[in-house]
Amino acid sequence: MARPQTVDEYIDGFTGPGRELLEQLRALAHEAVPEASEAIKWGYPAWVHPSGTILFMVSGHARHASVAFTPSTREGFDAQLAGFVTGKGTVKLPYGQPVPGDLLRRMIAFRVREHEDDGVLWM
């Protein structure tokens, strides 16, 4: 199967809870940062600042989706992420559990500010 060229194609590759969660994350991204454009970067959906810098990415997996930020964004929310499995810049969101919308909105706002005010680029 060919690699997806659009976010629609990427999401279409999932069914059930995976597709539902990816659609929720996409809607949240559009709400939280409407000026960002969607793109496929390294095979995954990404939201890109008008300056061309990646703000964050999402990916779907067998039992969870991940949202990837810069490590500095993820570290800025360590206390609020205590109940989640995290990586260097990622947060795992298990399928079938509520999306932590308020937390993700705050993380996205932090990421936009760190890029616009501090010049933090993608990893």
Side-chain angles (χ1 to χ4, degrees):
M1 184 163 121
R3 292 187 95 177
Q5 300 300 306
T6 67
V7 175
D8 285 327
E9 289 177 8
Y10 185 88
I11 292 174
D12 284 346
F14 290 83
T15 59
R19 183 184 184 108
E20 290 172 22
L21 182 53
L22 290 170
E23 287 174 345
Q24 290 173 356
L25 292 172
R26 185 184 203 184
L28 187 144
H30 284 292
E31 173 194 318
V33 63
E35 67 276 9
S37 59
E38 291 182 339
I40 296 292
K41 300 288 186 180
W42 301 286
Y44 302 107
W47 279 263
V48 181
H49 189 273
S51 70
T53 296
I54 296 171
L55 295 172
F56 57 94
M57 298 172 62
V58 300
S59 59
H61 305 278
R63 293 186 177 95
H64 72 277
S66 286
V67 183
F69 294 98
T70 56
S72 52
T73 295
R74 206 266 314 136
E75 290 166 4
F77 290 85
D78 275 346
Q80 296 95 319
L81 292 168
F84 294 90
V85 175
T86 61
K88 181 177 179 181
T90 60
V91 179
K92 285 185 180 181
L93 303 173
Y95 296 148
Q97 294 188 14
V99 173
D102 291 339
L103 174 58
L104 291 175
R105 283 183 199 87
R106 289 193 313 272
M107 292 179 78
I108 291 168
F110 180 97
R111 174 65 185 118
V112 170
R113 276 192 310 275
E114 82 167 358
H115 172 63
E116 291 179 349
D117 297 346
D118 302 330
V120 177
L121 302 176
W122 191 243
M123 296 183 247

